[in-house]
Amino acid sequence: MLFKYNDLEKRLIYITIILLLYGFYILSPFSKFLGYTEDISPITIVLRICQVIFLFLLFFISVKTDNRRIKFTHLIAIMSVVCIYIMFTYRVFIDSIYSEKFIDDSYLLEYFVFGLLFSLLASILISINSTRELLLEVMVSLKVLLLISTVLIISLFLLDFSSGGLTNIRAGFERLNPISIGRASAVLIIIEMFIPSKHKLLSLLIFIVGSTGLLLSLARGPMLGLAVVLFIFVLGSFSLKKITYLVISLFAIIIIYTSVSQFVGYNVDLIEMFSKVGGSEDQSANQRFSLYISAFEQFSNSPFIGDRAVEINTNYYPHNFLIEVMMSIGAVGLVVFIFINIITIAVYFSSNIILDKILKLVFYLYIFYFVNGMFSGSLFQSKEYWILLLLIFPLASKVNSINDSFSCIRNPSR
């Protein structure tokens, strides 16, 4: 049996998951409304304090619980993640002492205090204590919150753009840059796919809002991540009706997006934009390629244990999970990281668990963040990725135990 929580513990787990997964997405538009445009504003500081408080409360409640069981594969995954974190923490510690030029204080804060360590702690506690019913509540709440946040962000963007106060061609605000907006919008769409709203008009609104936010962001990582999820989703349950629905929806989104953008004067040729991907005019891609080349050079300097926690010329992460692991903790870290993902995928496909919609949703979100991580973001600051990865193990165990119980009822001789 998994841990049975009372109402207080349930609420703490519930709030912790929401804060850790999408806290900044929820509060960022309110920061903008209050006039804060810096990376660190009072409202984000309050969020970080709340995260720490809830994590410690959750920890103290959890250690008092005697009835906890961890599957062997779950334990292996947790220990592998701990291993990754220890290696990277050692790398950051050495760099901060011996490197003349390193990352600024805000990133040190992310890495040491609000980074993977707290994500790992929360992931372990949440994954041990979670049930399908709780996660269903969390995902429905996240969908509502992301819908409200995305509507606010799109409204702010359109107001800024129509007033001439927006210099960037992509939507982006305090702690919620264009790529983050794209991620939030794509996640909104994925949650709606697996937990559809009861009212068709609401489902249509969610799909339009998510797609508009995704297109406004012009972020290729979230777009490609969503495309991979849709491809696997269609491949897993192939039907002509589903493909037709996706194609019609895609054309409808493009038409609506074009109409709205022309109405507010936000004219971006999507076909032209994607035709330039990887070319000489694609500054974002060229910067990424430069980061990749430099990161590979650092890896070649110390291929076994890695060279630096960040790319040395920009003091920034290289925007690719695999390259970041190679650059920072070398081939040893890369082997452990690949092992973590292989065992996660193997656990998901190991038995008849893929019919469970909550587990499928968590797995598809994990795939989305992994694909997005090949183009943007830092592995060691991607709290969503680590939490979703570790949640797959207890969910799989829970669903398997339920299936085994049903099998015993149907076949008492087992």
Side-chain angles (χ1 to χ4, degrees):
M1 292 289 292
L2 287 178
F3 169 74
K4 293 184 178 180
Y5 48 83
N6 59 32
D7 290 340
L8 173 62
E9 292 154 0
K10 177 180 178 180
R11 291 305 103 193
L12 283 174
I13 298 170
Y14 185 92
I15 294 171
T16 302
I17 297 176
I18 292 176
L19 282 177
L20 282 175
L21 283 176
Y22 298 108
F24 286 118
Y25 296 96
I26 298 164
L27 295 182
S28 186
F30 294 102
S31 293
K32 179 68 176 178
F33 273 122
L34 293 174
Y36 296 106
T37 56
E38 300 84 5
D39 274 357
I40 302 297
S41 68
I43 198 167
T44 57
I45 292 172
V46 170
L47 170 66
R48 293 186 176 197
I49 294 172
C50 288
Q51 286 179 331
V52 175
I53 291 172
F54 282 118
L55 285 170
F56 274 107
L57 285 174
L58 193 60
F59 175 76
F60 286 122
I61 288 175
S62 181
V63 294
K64 294 180 181 180
T65 306
D66 296 323
N67 185 22
R68 294 189 302 168
R69 294 181 182 179
I70 304 178
K71 290 276 188 177
F72 179 72
T73 50
H74 191 185
L75 182 62
I76 291 293
I78 291 175
M79 295 308 298
S80 299
V81 176
V82 170
C83 181
I84 283 277
Y85 178 73
I86 290 174
M87 287 189 286
F88 184 75
T89 302
Y90 174 76
R91 170 58 57 201
V92 173
F93 178 74
I94 294 298
D95 288 357
S96 62
I97 294 177
Y98 295 105
S99 299
E100 295 180 1
K101 190 178 180 184
F102 192 53
I103 52 182
D104 58 34
D105 293 339
S106 64
Y107 280 107
L108 279 173
L109 188 67
E110 289 286 342
Y111 284 139
F112 280 127
V113 183
F114 298 101
L116 183 57
L117 177 60
F118 278 97
S119 299
L120 174 63
L121 173 62
S123 300
I124 295 172
L125 297 175
I126 291 168
S127 60
I128 292 172
N129 295 298
S130 64
T131 66
R132 294 178 61 259
E133 293 74 20
L134 175 63
L135 278 176
L136 178 60
E137 281 187 65
V138 170
M139 290 301 174
V140 171
S141 298
L142 284 176
K143 183 170 66 173
V144 174
L145 291 170
L146 286 176
L147 176 61
I148 296 172
S149 299
T150 308
V151 169
L152 286 173
I153 293 164
I154 293 172
S155 302
L156 285 167
F157 170 76
L158 294 177
L159 286 172
D160 279 7
F161 192 87
S162 60
S163 63
L166 192 69
T167 57
N168 194 346
I169 199 171
R170 305 192 301 181
F173 301 110
E174 182 265 339
R175 291 298 297 178
L176 197 62
N177 58 33
I179 298 171
S180 298
I181 295 170
R183 283 200 295 262
S185 301
V187 167
L188 181 62
I189 295 172
I190 295 172
I191 294 177
E192 179 63 23
M193 286 168 52
F194 289 94
I195 310 177
S197 304
K198 295 181 180 179
H199 303 287
K200 292 185 178 180
L201 285 178
L202 181 58
S203 293
L204 180 62
L205 175 64
I206 290 172
F207 195 64
I208 291 174
V209 169
S211 303
T212 303
L214 189 63
L215 292 172
L216 281 175
S217 73
L218 299 181
R220 287 166 299 213
M223 289 182 179
L224 288 170
L226 180 60
V228 171
V229 168
L230 290 174
F231 176 77
I232 299 174
F233 178 70
V234 172
L235 195 66
S237 53
F238 184 85
S239 70
L240 183 60
K241 180 180 179 181
K242 188 178 294 185
I243 294 176
T244 304
Y245 175 75
L246 288 174
V247 171
I248 293 174
S249 300
L250 178 62
F251 278 107
I253 291 164
I254 293 174
I255 292 171
I256 293 171
Y257 169 80
T258 304
S259 302
V260 173
S261 63
Q262 288 181 349
F263 178 76
V264 299
Y266 177 73
N267 296 314
V268 176
D269 190 332
L270 292 175
I271 297 176
E272 181 183 0
M273 182 196 73
F274 283 105
S275 67
K276 294 179 179 179
V277 172
S280 58
E281 298 181 36
D282 190 347
Q283 295 182 0
S284 178
N286 290 330
Q287 290 173 356
R288 293 286 196 273
F289 292 147
S290 298
L291 283 170
Y292 295 166
I293 293 171
S294 180
F296 273 119
E297 289 177 354
Q298 290 177 218
F299 169 69
S300 63
N301 293 335
S302 180
F304 188 68
I305 59 172
D307 178 66
R308 298 284 180 90
V310 292
E311 193 272 325
I312 192 170
N313 296 317
T314 61
N315 290 323
Y316 217 56
Y317 45 81
H319 289 283
N320 183 289
F321 283 1
L322 292 175
I323 296 176
E324 184 179 9
V325 170
M326 294 169 63
M327 175 191 72
S328 58
I329 51 180
V332 176
L334 180 64
V335 170
V336 177
F337 179 67
I338 292 174
F339 170 77
I340 292 170
N341 288 278
I342 289 175
I343 193 174
T344 302
I345 295 172
V347 165
Y348 177 76
F349 286 106
S350 61
S351 60
N352 56 350
I353 58 180
I354 57 176
L355 297 178
D356 183 80
K357 65 178 181 180
I358 299 300
L359 178 58
K360 286 184 71 174
L361 173 57
V362 171
F363 179 76
Y364 276 68
L365 287 174
Y366 152 75
I367 292 294
F368 167 78
Y369 279 103
F370 181 83
V371 174
N372 178 78
M374 297 298 105
F375 302 92
S376 179
S378 168
L379 172 66
F380 301 102
Q381 295 184 61
S382 183
K383 301 174 183 179
E384 303 95 334
Y385 168 79
W386 291 110
I387 291 174
L388 291 164
L389 181 150
L390 288 173
L391 280 174
I392 290 173
F393 292 87
L395 276 174
S397 300
K398 180 73 172 178
V399 175
N400 280 337
S401 64
I402 293 173
N403 289 337
D404 290 342
S405 299
F406 282 139
S407 297
C408 291
I409 293 172
R410 289 193 298 264
N411 186 10
S413 61
R414 284 189 59 183

